[in-house]
Structure formats: structure tokens, C-alpha cells
Amino acid sequence: MIGSQSSVYKSIIGIEFERESVKAVSAVKNGHGLKIKKTLSAPIEADWLLSNPDRLGEEIRAQFAQVGIQESHCMICLPLQWILKHRIEVPDLSPEDLQNYIRLQAERAFPFPLDELSLSTTWYQTSDGKRFASIAAVRLSHIETLRAVCKKAKLTPVSFTIGLPPDSKDAQCENAVFLKKREDGIDCQIIRQGKMIGFRFLETNWTHDLQDAVPALFRDIRVTLSELPLSVQTAIRTLVICGPQEWVDDFSRHAAPFADAMNMRRLQFNTLPQQPAVMNGDAYWISPIYQAANQFVRDKKAQIEFLPPKVNRLKQWASKISSRGSLLAGASVSIVLVVVIAALLYQHFTWSGLNSRWEKIRDQVDEVSLIQNNVRQFRPWFDESLPVLSSIQSLVEAFPEEGSVWVKIIEIDGNQAISCSGFTRDNRALSEMLNRLYQDERIQNLNLEQRLGEAPTTFTFKFQWIGN
């Protein structure tokens, strides 16, 4: 689902959520784009997505009032780790067939049903004439959580998108890999001819030495580039590093040999064309929010949009009827209405008769239904031994609550050997879950037998239950 915006906004708030903080940029439209008025960086609870949205909304409203942010329209820049992505080569199809083709590819690629996702598609063409599409998706449950937060904060979300890299003219490069430091990793975004065609969140533990983290980061950057067509890969020869100045200098020094091996020049970017005093040198986090808001107000739409569209079914039906513009169509509609009314009357009398018969047998049916429900409830748990129930409880408690690791199959044999298969989009969460199982004294011989793929990663592990 792709939202569209046609309204003109004179002022807007760009909001971005980190793992333990919320950042906001308040801007007003002038003759040259957006002018920044206020900025905000405030701490929030680490598990804010699972906490009470009302409480988070009230905290944001209070923070806005404290710094003097009064606008109501806002755009939300979603964390990249929330976004699923998939690249496809686009065949020569009609617009209607192409949309169906994209939905089919998304249904195959993503581990969630399409009715639980909001989709956004960006397009680009290579020098040899081939067309490609980058399909991005985010879970609608995340969108609804953010809507609840905005409602309590008295904000009206007009766009759900992602933060954008600095303008290619400002950064003096049109084909580049942009790296921006975040609290728990790095946002990696790939720009071709000034347009974002790929992105990935690189998870990193900043408590470790940066020198140890850089090799793994560049390995992930090479993997991200390898997903693109070869002609696009060869055109990207610039690495732009965004972050606090001290961190940028340190990262650039450690990244030098890896960037040189990839024939990429290094650029540092930590400024905006207009930098008010309120920024206090923190333009590296302001820039992506500002660029996304500026592009949205300028083009009246976001480059990547996850806002579900509002569908007025009555207007949609009336539009279809009026578009016929012929007497024959009107007569056809009238006949259909007559048939529908007759069917409804027939249905009413039929249901009335069936309802009378139902009242006569209701008590007997309720008794049988109760017995059947008990059979369905207890049939899978015919083994009432405490070890079986205890092992299941221990396994359930080990899984994270935020929904980053999913289980598909659990098998238990007669010797209390348990096998579990599933998938995850967060390898750190999988490792933490396995560590919790290792620490359980009732579990022996825990073995991760299979681990395949990237985002999502499928896994299979087994262990022996020795508890009571």
C-alpha cells in the first residue's frame, strides 16, 4: 500500500526514533525550501515499541512544549531495521499487470502476509536499458503503534518514510554509499544519480573497539552492493561518512584500507546549507530528517512512502457508476438493485424460519459444542507429564517478547529430545535467546544445527531436556 499526499504544508515536524531517544526537527517553508526553526533530541525508554504508546505520546508532547515546537503535521522517519527489502528485475508488462507482479514477488520474498504489510516501490534503470524495482515493506502493526503515539502527542502523521542522505549537490557526489551513525549501528544507504536505490541497517555494538567493528561493517557493505546490478556497482566510488566529528575522524582512519581496496574515496559530511545555532554541531542526525521533510514538502510526496491510503468506498463506487455515463449502465445498476433487494427479502424470511428451528435445538447444540471445544483444547496436550509442560514453558520464556524471532516447528520425541525451527531478522536477538537456553540447568546438549540466509535467517537447534 502506498500513500499519496497532495496537500501543501507550510510547516512540518520531522521525527525519528532511535533505540533510546527521539529526535525531531521543526521547519517552516520559505522561498528556498524548508527553514529549520527548532530541533529536539530527548531520551525515551529502550523498549518504547512495546511500552504504553499513550505514555510515550505524552512525553513527546511535553518535550515539544518545552522547546517551543507547536506544529501539528509530522512525518515519521522509520528505523531501517524495521524495513524489509527485495530487489527484482522488471519485465515489460502493462501497469496493472506490473503491480500484480510486484505484489506476487513481495508475497514470495517477505515472511509476512501482504495484508499485514505496507509496501513501497522505487524504480531505476541501468545503462543497458534493464529496469529494476526495489520493494520495501514495513509491518502495519508498527505503523498503527506510531499512529497511537502521534494521537496522544496531538500530532497528525502525513507520511511514514525513512531519513534521506544529504543532497547530492551538497555532498558533491551523485553515486555514493552514505553511512550515518546511530545508537545501535549504522544506516547504510546507496545513492545512484542522486536517488536512493538501496539501504541496509548495519548492526554494531559501539561498546567494542571501532577498529574491531570496521572489517565486519565493510563486509556487510560489500554484500549490500553485491545485491545491485554490476553496472551500478562499478559506478559507486564514493563513501560518505556522517556522525559526530570525533567519531567520523576515527572511523575514516580505520576505514581507509578497506575503502581503498574497493577503489572508493572517503568524504566526511556533517553540515547543512543552512545551519542555525540550535544545532550545536549535531547536523549529522538533523540532516536525514531535514532532507526527508524538505523533499516531502517540495515534491508533495515521499520518495519511499508507507502511509496506508485512505479509501472512501462510497466515493469509489459512485465514481465507477458515474464514469459509465450511459443510460444502459444506469438501467443495469437499477436491475442489480432490484435483484439485491429481492434477495435480501428472501434472505430475511429464510433466516426467520431457520431461527425458529434453531431455538428448538439450541440447548442440545450448546451441550455438544461444549464437549467438542473441550476435545479440541485438550487433544494436543494428552501427555500431561510435568517434564513436557516444563520444557515447553522454558522454551517459550527464552524467546524475545518484541517479535524479532519466530518459531515454525517444535518436535518432542519420547526421550525428551526437543527440536525447534524458525526464522529471525535480528541475529543478535537469536544469539541472546540461545544464551538464555544455555543458562538453563535443565537443558543439555544445546546445538545450533542450521543457520541460513540473511534478513530473514532460518535456523534449527536441538537440545535434551533433563528437568522435571
Side-chain angles (χ1 to χ4, degrees):
M1 294 180 288
I2 303 176
S4 61
Q5 300 293 335
S6 58
S7 301
V8 177
Y9 300 101
K10 295 182 179 179
S11 62
I12 197 168
I13 308 172
I15 302 175
E16 182 179 66
F17 290 95
E18 294 259 17
R19 186 170 183 268
E20 297 182 1
S21 68
V22 59
K23 295 177 170 59
V25 175
S26 170
V28 62
K29 189 175 182 180
N30 59 17
H32 305 284
L34 288 179
K35 178 182 179 181
I36 298 177
K37 293 174 56 181
K38 302 283 185 179
T39 62
L40 169 71
S41 179
I44 57 176
E45 295 183 9
D47 60 344
W48 61 270
L49 183 61
L50 300 176
S51 63
N52 189 336
D54 291 347
R55 183 176 60 187
L56 178 59
E58 291 172 352
E59 292 178 2
I60 293 175
R61 184 72 265 169
Q63 292 285 352
F64 281 7
Q66 185 175 354
V67 299
I69 296 178
Q70 300 177 349
E71 290 80 9
S72 60
H73 292 106
C74 70
M75 64 177 303
I76 309 295
C77 296
L78 304 177
L80 288 189
Q81 55 264 50
W82 286 12
I83 313 299
L84 305 170
K85 61 183 179 67
H86 181 59
R87 181 185 67 88
I88 61 172
E89 184 173 351
V90 179
D92 187 13
L93 297 172
S94 66
E96 182 178 354
D97 291 338
L98 183 58
Q99 290 300 321
N100 292 332
Y101 178 76
I102 289 175
R103 291 184 63 83
L104 177 62
Q105 296 299 318
E107 187 173 12
R108 292 176 176 176
F110 300 140
F112 302 102
L114 290 188
D115 58 1
E116 296 180 10
L117 299 174
S118 180
L119 302 181
S120 180
T121 307
T122 54
W123 315 82
Y124 61 95
Q125 186 170 339
T126 57
S127 56
D128 56 1
K130 294 182 178 180
R131 295 177 62 207
F132 292 86
S134 295
I135 309 172
V138 65
R139 297 190 67 182
L140 285 173
S141 58
H142 293 340
I143 300 294
E144 293 306 317
T145 298
L146 290 175
R147 275 181 162 168
V149 172
C150 290
K151 182 178 180 180
K152 198 63 178 180
K154 299 181 180 179
L155 299 173
T156 303
V158 296
S159 176
F160 291 95
T161 182
I162 63 177
L164 294 181
D167 189 271
S168 57
K169 295 179 182 179
D170 301 332
Q172 299 178 351
C173 57
E174 289 191 344
N175 303 292
V177 175
F178 284 87
L179 302 180
K180 193 204 88 168
K181 183 180 182 298
R182 294 179 67 93
E183 292 177 354
D184 51 355
I186 290 179
D187 281 351
C188 173
Q189 296 173 303
I190 301 173
I191 302 300
R192 175 178 179 268
Q193 298 177 354
K195 181 180 180 181
M196 184 169 59
I197 62 172
F199 55 84
R200 185 177 184 180
F201 177 73
L202 310 179
E203 185 178 349
T204 305
N205 187 348
W206 296 123
T207 60
H208 297 164
D209 190 354
L210 183 58
Q211 183 176 1
D212 298 332
V214 168
L217 289 173
F218 271 86
R219 182 172 60 250
D220 290 338
I221 292 173
R222 287 193 296 269
V223 170
T224 304
L225 288 172
S226 68
E227 297 173 353
L228 301 174
L230 184 60
S231 60
V232 176
Q233 298 180 38
T234 56
I236 299 175
R237 288 293 175 261
T238 303
L239 182 70
V240 182
I241 307 169
C242 308
Q245 192 59 52
E246 182 178 355
W247 178 88
V248 169
D249 294 337
D250 194 20
F251 185 90
S252 182
R253 183 176 65 257
H254 292 307
F258 301 95
D260 293 342
M262 299 171 65
N263 296 321
M264 300 182 74
R265 65 182 179 127
R266 288 166 289 129
L267 291 178
Q268 298 183 13
F269 187 88
N270 200 28
T271 60
L272 286 171
Q274 44 143 346
Q275 184 169 338
V278 295
M279 289 188 181
N280 299 324
D282 288 336
Y284 81 92
W285 68 259
I286 298 175
S287 177
I289 307 174
Y290 169 81
Q291 294 295 347
N294 191 49
Q295 188 264 346
F296 176 79
V297 172
R298 182 191 64 216
D299 300 339
K300 301 180 182 178
K301 63 179 182 179
Q303 180 177 338
I304 297 179
E305 182 60 79
F306 296 109
L307 179 69
K310 294 181 179 179
V311 180
N312 190 317
R313 299 187 181 275
L314 181 59
K315 289 184 178 180
Q316 190 178 31
W317 178 82
S319 176
K320 290 181 179 179
I321 296 301
S322 61
S323 64
R324 300 294 188 272
S326 67
L327 185 60
L328 179 60
S332 300
V333 172
S334 299
I335 294 174
V336 170
L337 289 176
V338 171
V339 172
V340 170
I341 293 174
L344 291 175
L345 290 174
Y346 174 78
Q347 184 185 55
H348 172 73
F349 290 114
T350 302
W351 281 3
S352 297
L354 292 175
N355 189 60
S356 299
R357 296 172 59 186
W358 165 250
E359 293 297 333
K360 297 178 181 179
I361 63 172
R362 177 193 294 272
D363 294 338
Q364 295 89 333
V365 172
D366 288 343
E367 183 178 356
V368 173
S369 297
L370 178 61
I371 295 173
Q372 290 179 337
N373 289 336
N374 288 334
V375 171
R376 294 192 189 98
Q377 179 179 359
F378 297 108
R379 181 184 291 126
W381 304 96
F382 60 89
D383 187 350
E384 299 177 349
S385 61
L386 184 59
V388 172
L389 300 180
S390 299
S391 61
I392 293 296
Q393 182 182 8
S394 177
L395 185 60
V396 169
E397 292 175 347
F399 273 74
E401 295 181 358
E402 68 274 19
S404 56
V405 183
W406 296 267
V407 64
K408 295 175 63 177
I409 301 175
I410 299 177
E411 297 180 356
I412 306 176
D413 65 16
N415 296 321
Q416 301 302 323
I418 299 176
S419 174
C420 181
S421 300
F423 59 90
T424 180
R425 290 191 297 106
D426 188 341
N427 289 324
R428 183 175 64 180
L430 176 61
S431 300
E432 293 174 354
M433 182 201 71
L434 293 175
N435 287 335
R436 285 193 289 271
L437 292 175
Y438 274 121
Q439 297 171 4
D440 195 332
E441 297 179 354
R442 299 168 296 177
I443 292 177
Q444 286 187 351
N445 302 325
L446 177 61
N447 183 25
L448 181 61
E449 296 192 343
Q450 186 179 47
R451 186 172 180 173
L452 299 173
E454 289 284 344
T457 299
T458 60
F459 62 87
T460 300
F461 62 88
K462 291 184 177 180
F463 63 87
Q464 187 74 32
W465 178 260
I466 61 172
N468 294 323

